[in-house]
Every structure is written in structure tokens, then in C-alpha cells.
Amino acid sequence: MKKLLTLFALLISIVLVAQQQIKQIDSIVNSKLSDNDPGLFVGVVKDGEIIYENYKGLASLQHNTKIDASSRSNIASTAKQFTALMILNLSLEQKLSLEDDIRKYLPNLYPKIKEKIKIRHLVNHTSGVRDFYDLMSIQQEPWWRREGLDNDNAIELLEKQEDLAFEPGSRYMYSNSGYTLLTKIIEVASGEKFHDYSEKFFNNLGMKNTMFLKNYMAVIPNQALPYSDWGDGVWQQYPMITNLYGDGFLFTSLKDQLIFEQAIQNAKFNNNRLLIESQSPIPNSEIKTYGFGLELGERLNYNSVHHSGGTGSYHSQTIRFPEEKLTVFVMSNNSNLWSGAIADEIAKLLLPKKEAVIAYDKRLKEVSNTIATTKILGQYLSPGNYLIRIERKNNKLTWRNGNNNPIELKKEAQNLYSISYNSKTKIGFYKNELILFYPSGKASVYNKIPKQEVTLADLESYVGQYYSTELDVSFTLTLKNNKLIIALDGWKKKHEVEILNPNELLVFDYILKIERDQFDRVTNILLTTNRVLNNKFIKKTNLKFQPKIKTENGSINVTTIGSRDGQSSQILLTKNYANGNEIWSQQFGGKSYDKASSILATDDGYLIIGSTSSYGKGNYDMFVVKTDKKGNKIWQNSYGDFYNEYGYSAEKTDSGYIVKGTIQKCSSNTDVFNRTCTTNVWYVYIDKNGKELSNEILEEINETYN
């Protein structure tokens, strides 16, 4: 009898605790909004049972319609788990393999890419396929402005992409494009239209009020409309005018989501292989932190499976704690709220109290105390090749990523700092690197980039028009008062470019990485922003070699001048005042055609690089002239063979110079109509007196040099 009373008391205690927790969750929900605000949906599943379900606020402000169990809201990217689930289902039915190359189903994509782009790469964002939303933003036509934009339009843009952001499987970069492509793969593999297949799929899961968007003008029964107040306190309906789906745009009810969460928690009991495997990392995957449309990792100090979503004014969050058999799901049509924060707050109430295990990487103890603060300032490159800057502002050290606002660092020791908003994240400075330490034991090493001064010649080399064939967008860089100015198609104003170093520029959140050819000319700029990495813009104008050297009171210039009758040309070297007036000039060359490409300053004078048909063995030979500081010739020499060799640029070496140019080889010396010729990059190594030491033929090229 005593045992029964004890058990009865324990049961009463459990019930009272549960009731108290429900009141606390109610209090959290009620604190977030009033009954007359756009809505909030909250549900909790524990041990396979729905223990909490709440609806607060309005689905329609226009008609004062309250949200309820029949209301449908858009869960945005939280929908990715369902697109991935369909892919996994088709895999288990052996209608596709996760190891298949996506071009088996989408043959028009990336014909130049040799590496295999696997379906699983799309599923866990390791494909290198750039995010089409960000591509459209670069075009200055964001997705939300494009009425009727659908998956076919997005894929058409992706088909114009010639390369990937990175080699498939080599890194993680969240990209909505992958899930848009998966919808087409589902169609091909299943033999059905995506919406038909997904409708049957949701019905089989018992989710009869869940559907992907098909037409933004179509009526969605019981739709919760999206609202934002745009910061002025006046609610306005957020315009949604696109027909996208698969990466998000899933309209569903809270009841359907809770039914699905029950199925997930009961999957092992029911031996549901599909749902069991969907909660784990993808087999053979290079990463384990993202699986089938789900993030896998610690949350609130517990192992969890989770995902968030946000589009326009809609947002959602699902958090599963598998070991505790607890799920919290939140969604909303109210942009003033954030589902993720609300879900975390509720989960903390329901989870057993647990202190975070703090175990920093052992290198934290090796932080030096001998490096001066001035020495740790500068630029660092992250493991993912993102540039960050450590700067000092108002005697405070800051961390700046791209063009984002700087984050203040708090000093804990001479070379040890913490993030101002999170004291548990530490930053240790070492010689030529910094390490970001997390309490979980994770550590990320950032390598310091040596300080490099930018010269006027560097600035001039950037000037020109750049064009992306993949986006049909161009931008122009000009120089004004020694400042670099950018004008981009679609921008109303021009903007000054920040020079990070000779190889990286910054404007807003666009990082522009400089690419040079074998002759050190700027030929391309790779644009990186958000989820777009290294989008190539090809230089279309000002593709010139360096014909000018800046001096203290003017410049030294080299150019080609033609004869009056056009039967020859010579090289002209001039020294000019800053206003362009000539101080002196010298001419070089013979009786035929001699051309200048560039000039290099030496300790005792100048090196002129070009080509000659007056001297040498062939039609044109590489031509180098060495002068003193006043332009007087010290020596000249030609390099080459029977065909055409051209000199374009040079650089100093310990023993002399490398002269860079091209060399031509032909299959016949006489049959000019039927012979084939190839042109290769050619490096000639010479000593300080112009004597050839060796030469090297590099790759074949098909470019025209001017």
C-alpha cells in the first residue's frame, strides 16, 4: 500500500510539473505578440505524443481572421528536409543513386566541369553550385521583384554558369540552387511532375494540408498571409509574386508538422527505414554537419537535428533532440518575431538542466604574450578563404569580415581576446596567424596576409570594363584623383572601391579578387558575395601591358611610333613632367617594324620589352633594350627562331631578368596555306647583360595580346 501511495504521489508530481511547463510555454508565447498581431504557431512533441499545441494571432489582418489548426503558413527553408526526403525515398526504391552525377538527369548543366557533381552534393550543400538568389542580386534584379519567377527560370540561369564556386565535395556552402535542381531530378527519376509526386508523398505521411507552392496567384485554403511593419509600426502585407518551390515555399499546417514529428520520434519503433536514415549524415559524405535537408550538431548543449527557414515575412524552426525524444516546432507569418529564438526558449524549459562542457583546444594555452598589439593588426585569411581584418578603432580592437560592421574584441591577456557578445569564444594571436577557439574544442586557424602596398601602377592596371557572360552583367573601374571608382549595371551611383591589397578589392559586400595572366596583366576579376563565390568577370578593355613608370616629378613612358610612309615603326622612350610635357626622348629600332610592350625600372636605368622584325632570325623576335637613367642605350638583344616571338613583360631575378612573351611553332616553313601553328607562353631567362641563360615553353594559348 505504501508503494502504491509513493507511485501515486510521483505521478501527481509529474503531472504538476508538466502543467507548470505548459503554463510557462503559454507565458512565452503570450509575451511575443498580442491577439491582434500576425500569428504564431507553436507545437511540442515528447515521447511520440503531442504535449503542446498553440495558435495565437491573426492569419489575415484585413479580415481579422484568427489562425487555428486549419491555417497554413510558409515554412521556407525548413521545407528542404522534405525535398531531401523524397530524394532519399527514390534512392531506397533504387530509382536513383545518391552517387549519381546530376547531369545524368540534367544534361545541360556545367558541360565544362570534369569532376562528378553528385546528387548528395546538392543535398548537403557541397556541390559548388552558386545560389541563384544571390546571382540575381548581382544582376540587380532580386528574385522578389521578378513576377512569376519559377524553377525553370532559376535553372535557366544556372545553365548559363560555366563553372562552380569550388570543386564538388571540397567544402560546404549553403545554396538554395541545389534544392531547386533536386526538384527536377525527382521529376526525371519518378517519371512524374514534382507537384504530383510531392502531393502523394505528403498524403502517405498523413500530411494532407501540406503542399508546395505552384502558382502565387492560386488560392491556398486557410493561408496565413505574411506581414511586416518595415520598422514604422504599420503592418503591411509582404508581396510574394514568385512560383518557386523545393528549396522552400512549402505551405503547411502546425497539425501536419506535429504528425510528421510524431512519425520521426516513432520511426525506430515502426522500423521506418526512410525516416530513420533521414535523420543521419549522408553516407559517403565529406561533411557530417548537414544531412538530408537538416543541420546535425549541438544546440543548447544537446545533440540535435534542426533547421530554420525565412522568406519574406514567413519563418519557421524545427529542433529535434533525438536522445531526449523531444521536438519543438515554431512557425509564423509575423516578421517581428523569430521562430528560432522562440523555439530555443521553449526547449530550455523542457530539457533537463545541463552545463556546457568547456574543452578548448590545447593551443589556447600556447598563446604568446610577446607580440605587440600593432603587430597583430592586419588582414587574415580564413580556412574557407574569407578575408577578415583585425583593426583598431578608438583604442579598441575589432574583427571585421568583408564590409560588415566591425565586432569589438575584449582583451583578456596580451595576445588573447574574446568576442564582445560571447566571452566563451576566444581569439589567440600567434606569429603570422590567429586561432579562433570555441568552447566545444573546435579551432579555426586564420593565416596572416603580409602587408602589401598598392602602387599607382596597380590602380591603373585595374581600370577597364569587366563582363560576366554567365550573368550578362558588366561593371567598370575608373581612376579619379588616384581613387578607384566602380560603376555597376543597375546602380544609380558610382562608388569608391576599398583596396584591401593588390589582389583584393572591396565594395559593399562584394569582394573582388584579381586574376592576372602569365604577363602580370589583370585579365579577370572574381566576384564573391554571400553564397556566390568567384563569379568570373572578364576584362574587356584596357588589356594592356605596363608602358609607364611613375617618377617623383612625372613619368617614364614607352610607346610605338610609325614612320610617315607606314613602312616601319620604332620604339619611343620619353621622360615627361607630371603635366605631360616632355623632358627628353630616345628612339630605338632598325629599318623595319619594332614595337614596345612594357618598361621595367632597374637600379641603374630601364628595361624595354617588345618585339622586332629589324633584328633577329624570324618574322618577329622578342626584343629587349637596356638603357641608363637618361635613356641612353646600354645594350639590346633579340630572342627567338624562325616564326613569331613577341616580348610582353619582364621581372627581375637574382641573376638578371625573366622576359615573358609568346613563341610560335608551325608544321611547315613553306606551305602557309595548309600548315598548322600553335602559340605558347614563352619565358626567356637572361643575365644582366642580356645574354640568354635558358628558356621555358609553357602552356598553349589562344589569346590575342595587344
Side-chain angles (χ1 to χ4, degrees), residues 478-491:
T478 55
L479 204 56
K480 185 177 182 181
N481 299 325
N482 291 343
K483 292 183 178 180
L484 200 62
I485 307 298
I486 186 171
L488 177 70
D489 288 352
W491 284 0

Side-chain angles (χ1 to χ4, degrees), residues 32 110 123-124 455 680:
K32 304 303 177 186
Y110 304 104
V123 177
N124 68 359
T455 66
N680 292 65

Side-chain angles (χ1 to χ4, degrees), residues 163-176:
D163 61 1
L164 299 169
F166 50 82
E167 183 179 342
S170 65
R171 61 172 291 181
Y172 170 90
M173 183 186 74
Y174 191 93
S175 175
N176 290 287

Side-chain angles (χ1 to χ4, degrees), residues 51 280 604:
I51 65 167
S280 300
D604 58 348

Side-chain angles (χ1 to χ4, degrees), residues 577-601:
Y577 290 114
N579 62 8
N581 291 337
E582 183 180 301
I583 301 173
W584 54 252
S585 67
Q586 298 283 1
Q587 290 189 30
F588 308 95
K591 297 180 179 180
S592 188
Y593 294 96
D594 302 287
K595 302 176 181 179
S597 295
S598 63
I599 185 170
L600 176 73

Side-chain angles (χ1 to χ4, degrees), residues 26-40:
D26 282 338
S27 178
I28 290 172
V29 172
N30 291 333
S31 71
K32 304 303 177 186
L33 72 166
S34 73
D35 291 334
N36 296 319
D37 289 331
L40 179 65

Side-chain angles (χ1 to χ4, degrees), residues 36-185:
N36 296 319
D37 289 331
L40 179 65
F41 307 69
V42 178
V44 179
V45 176
K46 180 76 171 78
D47 297 321
E49 298 295 332
I50 300 171
I51 65 167
Y52 187 85
E53 185 177 349
N54 193 357
Y55 306 85
K56 186 175 178 66
L58 300 177
S60 170
L61 300 186
Q62 292 93 319
H63 302 289
N64 200 36
T65 305
K66 295 183 180 297
I67 63 168
D68 57 26
S70 65
S71 299
R72 299 184 188 185
S73 191
N74 180 348
I75 61 172
S77 285
T78 305
K80 284 182 169 65
Q81 63 182 314
F82 296 106
T83 302
L85 196 62
M86 292 181 228
I87 287 288
L88 178 58
N89 187 57
L90 290 168
S91 173
L92 295 177
E93 293 176 349
Q94 298 185 343
K95 292 183 178 179
L96 59 77
S97 168
L98 297 175
E99 301 296 319
D100 284 342
D101 192 307
I102 65 173
R103 289 163 294 189
K104 176 180 177 181
Y105 307 89
L106 302 166
N108 294 331
L109 286 171
Y110 304 104
K112 296 181 181 179
I113 301 299
K114 296 179 181 178
E115 295 86 2
K116 199 172 183 182
I117 311 170
K118 300 176 181 179
I119 290 176
R120 63 175 172 84
H121 290 146
L122 296 182
V123 177
N124 68 359
H125 307 293
T126 59
S127 67
V129 175
R130 299 182 179 98
D131 190 288
F132 71 83
Y133 292 104
D134 285 341
L135 291 175
M136 290 176 179
S137 293
I138 296 173
Q139 293 177 319
Q140 304 305 303
E141 283 293 335
W143 65 275
W144 45 268
R145 282 187 191 161
R146 304 190 185 202
E147 184 178 2
L149 174 71
D150 60 19
N151 282 26
D152 288 337
N153 299 137
I155 293 174
E156 183 180 351
L157 177 58
L158 294 176
E159 287 177 344
K160 293 178 181 177
Q161 302 299 297
E162 297 177 0
D163 61 1
L164 299 169
F166 50 82
E167 183 179 342
S170 65
R171 61 172 291 181
Y172 170 90
M173 183 186 74
Y174 191 93
S175 175
N176 290 287
S177 298
Y179 278 76
T180 302
L181 294 175
L182 288 174
T183 64
K184 291 299 179 183
I185 292 175

